Amino acid sequence: MTAMRRRAPLLLGSILIAAVSLGACGDDDEAAETTTAAVTTARPTPTSAAAVATDAPTTTRATATTSAPASAPTTTAAPATTTTVDVATTTTTTTTTTTTTTLPPTTIAETTTTTAPPPAPPTTAAPAIVTVATAPALPQPVTPPPPRANEQHLQVGTIEIPRIGINKPMLEGISLNTLDKGPGHWPGTAMPGQPGNVVVAGHRTSKDRPFRHIDQLVPGDEVIFNTADGRFVYTVTDTQIVLPDAMWIVGQTPESTATLFACHPVGSTRQRIVVFLQLQA
């Protein structure tokens, strides 16, 4: 019994020494003192995990990351806490959770709208005005009357032929009754000075015989007509001998021309002598 009592102090001292050595491995002196107190008590009072956690030191590690660029996504770190509970020591570890938020685009693609120009109004071409020069209608000679037809013997002007000394009244008509009184204008042919062909007939052998010497006319000689419209000078261009049926000599021309004719040769009616003239400009 005495031996056991001697051993008891030794055992208790060994336990105290061991407790001090474990305390030296703690984080600080406060933890060591707590451990020593717990061992010294013969019947230690159970300590709840909540009580120990309250007295134990807490270590918190927080990492915050902030991204500054306006156009780059923003990173926000939310702390997460992990708690480890031990009978003697409580350690709290904080883990960083990274949340990434992507900003919506701040630039909207530009929409280009092209408006087609309005259609050009229909173009209406102005109607072309075509001016057609219409030649004046040419006179139309009448059919020759019977040789002794009664005509009015109306004077329409005078005829002058300086080369052969003629200056006579000019009558309207070509029948023998008219020509017996002087040179006659073929009805329906042009009047002097107008476009067309002025046709005048005359005797060579009977009555007044005004055209007796027209065979003496040469190109360039003048024949002058005087009418109510004025004085018109024609010049000789040519002389021809034709048959009595050569009606083409009374044909009308676009230009102002004149034709004189009479029987040929003198004293005969077998042919006709024809003198052509042109109005002077």
Side-chain angles (χ1 to χ4, degrees), residues 143-153 173-179:
T143 302
R148 290 297 174 178
N150 292 320
E151 296 175 317
Q152 295 182 359
H153 306 153
I174 57 172
S175 69
L176 293 177
N177 290 335
T178 301
L179 296 181

Side-chain angles (χ1 to χ4, degrees), residues 159-168 183 208-212:
I159 180 172
E160 301 177 21
I161 307 175
R163 166 73 70 173
I164 59 177
I166 297 297
N167 187 348
K168 296 288 185 177
D208 196 25
R209 53 184 191 178
F211 287 176
R212 176 73 171 81

